[in-house]
Structure formats: structure tokens, C-alpha cells
Amino acid sequence: MSLSGATPSRAHAPLVAARGAWAAVCLSFSLLQIAGCSAPAATSIGGAETASPPAAAATAAEAYPLPMPEPDPEHAARETSGPAGLVVYSGRTESLVGPLIEAFEATSGLQVDVRYGDTGELAVTLLEEGDRSPADVFFAQEPGGLGEVAAMLAPLPADVLGAVEPQYRAADGSWVGISGRARVVVFNTDKLMAEDLPADIRAFIGPEWKGRVGWAPANASFQSMVTAMRRTWGEDETRRWVEGMVANGAVAFPKNGPIVQAVADGEIDVGFVNHYYLYGFLAEEGEAFKARNAVLREGGPASILLVAGAAILKTAAHPEAAERFVRFLQGTEAQHFFAERTWEYPLSAGVQPDAQLPALADLKLTTLDLGALDDIAGSVAMLRDAGALP
């Protein structure tokens, strides 16, 4: 159910195949323009030498089917003492995580009521609802949304936090990362090679990139990237970059998926996106698809792994069920789902990412504390002041 609904609705999405899951993942886009290309060569990822995503996903679906064990009626009875079943506010889309929630219901015997929406909007809703919120769990698309409501979140158990590397959980223990999406530059393979791309995102404001770059200023992932820039570069330098992109004719898209398609179609040459959109297109259209990802060779705040994270509200009416849900998301089956069906980076249970993806160690990711991404509102204000948003 969308955020526009007045009350949460019960999730009932069917299990989906890799293509269906991918179609739901395609949500946002962004493009940038670069200047000089004197830096060393970029690293191309998602190349034609890799295995076919559909084949990989199908194999994974067969190897790691979502669990459907018998319900536990006694536990269910204890955990549905509140006004409804477990209530989850999800910044991830229903078509993406609906199958997981359905599997959790089958595993636990618990009813799950889900309110789907944009992570930022859900954070605002939680702040407005305060102690009256019916939410037990906040499953956010971006760490910034979790940071916005940090004061409302209960500390998670030490073993839940310890299931991920320290950089993928809140320093105060209020949320834990579930899966990760890396920010990359997608480029048209007919027009460019990875070696043609700048090593630093700041170069995209150069005149040689005028009108060639796409971006998605309204997208939550892009806004998190801008927040990382503000925290790393400072306000003045980030504003100059945003204003430079606007002046350079950056082409605005609503989401990442349309950016990848526009790059492949040759409408633009490069764009700023999350890594996993490309793999959905490759799954649909094959290796002839004319776009590939590249990582920024000098890293920096635009090379960030944005984690989807889960947290339990202090006011949760079903805290035990909420903890079971978070543990389920960290478990082997759910982590394989994210790795093999949506091409995200799994963060726990020892599950490895899809073989097509580069290792996290090769991405030169920023070491910025993800908890520092809590001022999304400040980034939105900057984007508006610079003319990137209406």
C-alpha cells in the first residue's frame, strides 16, 4: 500500500521472479557532467564477461527458496496482543520486499501490516505521530531517514548489531544495515570507455561534459549522496558543485532506472545511479545493452554504500515480533534474496554478493559514518537554492 493510505494495509505480494523484483527496484536516476580526464582509468563493472543476471537469479531462486515452514501458533498468539499484527513502515517498495514479508508471515505465523512509502516521508510521518505511532519497525531505504528519527528508536541487541561490520550500523545501536547499494557512474559503451571517465565526481562540472550528464535531484539516494558531499567537502564546495552541474545543463530524471535507459539509448552519455539498476537491464536485455557501471577511481563522498536499514521503535507494541522480523531480514534466506534477486550487497549471514558485482574492497568507498547522513532536509534546501529542484 502506498503512503497515501490512511492506515497500514496487510502485505500480500506474491513471490516474484528475478525480473519482477528488478522491475520494482528501478526507481531513481541522476546524471552529472565531468571535466578533465587526465586521471587514471576508471574501473568498469557489470561488464560483458560476467555471467547472465537472469541465469544467476534463477539459479539462486532454486538454490535458496524463501522459507515457508509451518506457523508457530503459540508464538503468534503472544505477539498479536496489540491493536493489530506487527506494523512495519517500509521505505522499500512492496514489489521488492513484499515476498520477504510474506515469507516472514509464513515462518512466524504473525500478521504483518505494512505502510509503504518514501523513506523521507515515512520519517516525517513518524515524527508527526510521535508516541502515538502504530509502527513497530522502520525499514528504511536510506540511512538518512533512520537518522532523522534516531531519538524514537530503541537500542538493538548486541548480536543483531554484531551481525554486520561496524560501518553498516548506527554508532548508538539504534539501527542495523540489511543490504547495500553502491553509488556509481553509468556510461554509454558506444560513446565512452571507463578510462574516459574522470576519477573524481567534481570534474563533471567541466565544459566538456555540458549537456551530457543526467541526475535525479529529487531521488532519495542522490540526496543522500549530496549529504555525504556536504559532510566531507563542506557546504560551500558542495554548493559550488551543485550550481556547476545546473549551469552545465545536467539533465534531470525522476529516478535511477530512466537514467540507465537514457544512457543506453544514447540520450545522455553518463549518469549517477545506484549500481544494481544496470543488472536488471542486463537481465532483461542481455549483454548487448549499451550501458555499464564505473566506479570513481579516487573514491570520495560520491562513492558511498547506501544501506537499507531496520530499526525498532521505542513505542513498539510488539517488540518481540519486531526483533524477530529484524533477525529474519539478517538471516541467510533474506540475505540471499537481496544478493541474488536484486543484486544488492548482502551485509550479514556470510552471504556473498552476486558474482557479477565487484568486491566492496574494490570500490574505494568513503569511510564516512552513515549516521552523518541524517540532514537530508539540508541537502534538499541546498538543491532548491541552487536551482536543481523547484
Side-chain angles (χ1 to χ4, degrees):
M1 184 179 188
S2 68
L3 182 60
S4 59
T7 58
S9 65
R10 188 167 187 271
H12 55 82
L15 293 175
V16 294
R19 290 185 177 185
W22 154 248
V25 174
C26 292
L27 291 179
S28 54
F29 279 83
S30 59
L31 290 173
L32 297 176
Q33 294 196 327
I34 314 174
C37 300
S38 58
T43 302
S44 177
I45 57 181
E49 71 281 3
T50 56
S52 150
T59 300
E62 294 169 0
Y64 309 108
L66 290 171
M68 291 292 181
E70 292 298 320
D72 179 352
E74 292 187 6
H75 193 100
R78 291 197 301 272
E79 290 302 310
T80 54
S81 58
L86 178 69
V87 178
V88 175
Y89 280 16
S90 176
R92 313 220 71 185
T93 62
E94 181 174 9
S95 52
L96 174 63
V97 300
L100 285 176
I101 291 173
E102 187 177 70
F104 174 74
E105 289 182 308
T107 300
S108 64
L110 300 173
Q111 174 183 323
V112 181
D113 295 325
V114 187
R115 175 178 290 190
Y116 291 101
D118 174 80
T119 289
E121 293 174 346
L122 288 172
V124 170
T125 298
L126 285 168
L127 292 171
E128 291 175 346
E129 292 174 339
D131 292 345
R132 296 175 290 102
S133 176
D136 296 302
V137 173
F138 185 21
F139 187 15
Q141 175 87 351
E142 308 289 341
L146 291 160
E148 294 276 3
V149 298
M152 300 179 65
L153 306 178
L156 293 170
D159 63 317
V160 170
L161 296 169
V164 303
E165 296 294 327
Q167 64 268 34
Y168 304 134
R169 65 191 188 221
D172 64 0
S174 61
W175 58 264
V176 66
I178 301 299
S179 60
R181 309 171 313 284
R183 295 293 296 179
V184 296
V185 179
V186 62
F187 64 96
N188 180 284
T189 55
D190 277 349
K191 298 181 179 181
L192 295 166
M193 299 178 66
E195 292 79 6
D196 299 327
L197 300 175
D200 191 311
I201 199 169
R202 284 174 280 210
F204 282 97
I205 63 173
E208 62 268 45
W209 292 100
K210 188 174 183 61
R212 300 170 63 190
V213 183
W215 65 353
N219 176 255
S221 294
F222 179 82
Q223 292 167 1
S224 290
M225 185 184 80
V226 171
T227 305
M229 292 174 169
R230 292 170 53 219
R231 298 303 192 199
T232 305
W233 297 345
E235 298 292 323
D236 291 344
E237 184 172 357
T238 304
R239 178 181 293 275
R240 283 195 295 272
W241 182 81
V242 174
E243 291 173 345
M245 291 297 301
V246 173
N248 225 13
V251 182
F253 291 82
K255 301 176 180 179
N256 287 284
I259 291 180
V260 179
Q261 185 68 66
V263 166
D265 292 344
E267 297 174 12
I268 50 177
D269 293 348
V270 297
F272 298 151
V273 297
N274 293 335
H275 79 276
Y276 61 167
Y277 294 92
L278 173 67
Y279 298 98
F281 282 103
L282 292 173
E284 292 283 350
E285 303 191 26
E287 294 296 335
F289 188 69
K290 297 184 180 301
R292 290 295 184 272
N293 290 338
V295 298
L296 294 165
R297 298 182 303 282
E298 293 186 1
S303 292
I304 188 168
L305 189 76
L306 298 172
V307 304
I312 299 174
L313 277 294
K314 290 178 179 176
T315 53
H318 310 91
E320 185 178 345
E323 186 177 318
R324 289 186 69 188
F325 180 70
V326 174
R327 291 183 186 278
F328 174 81
L329 293 177
Q330 289 187 307
T332 302
E333 294 82 5
Q335 290 293 300
H336 272 294
F337 179 89
F338 289 118
E340 313 294 356
R341 297 197 188 188
T342 66
W343 301 281
E344 293 178 74
Y345 285 94
L347 299 182
S348 60
V351 175
Q352 298 301 308
D354 187 279
Q356 300 175 97
L357 272 59
L360 288 176
D362 295 335
L363 297 183
K364 299 202 69 171
L365 296 170
T366 178
T367 57
L368 180 70
D369 180 1
L370 295 178
L373 303 181
D374 57 349
D375 186 22
I376 298 298
S379 296
V380 171
M382 175 182 286
L383 290 166
R384 284 180 174 147
D385 289 346
L389 285 174

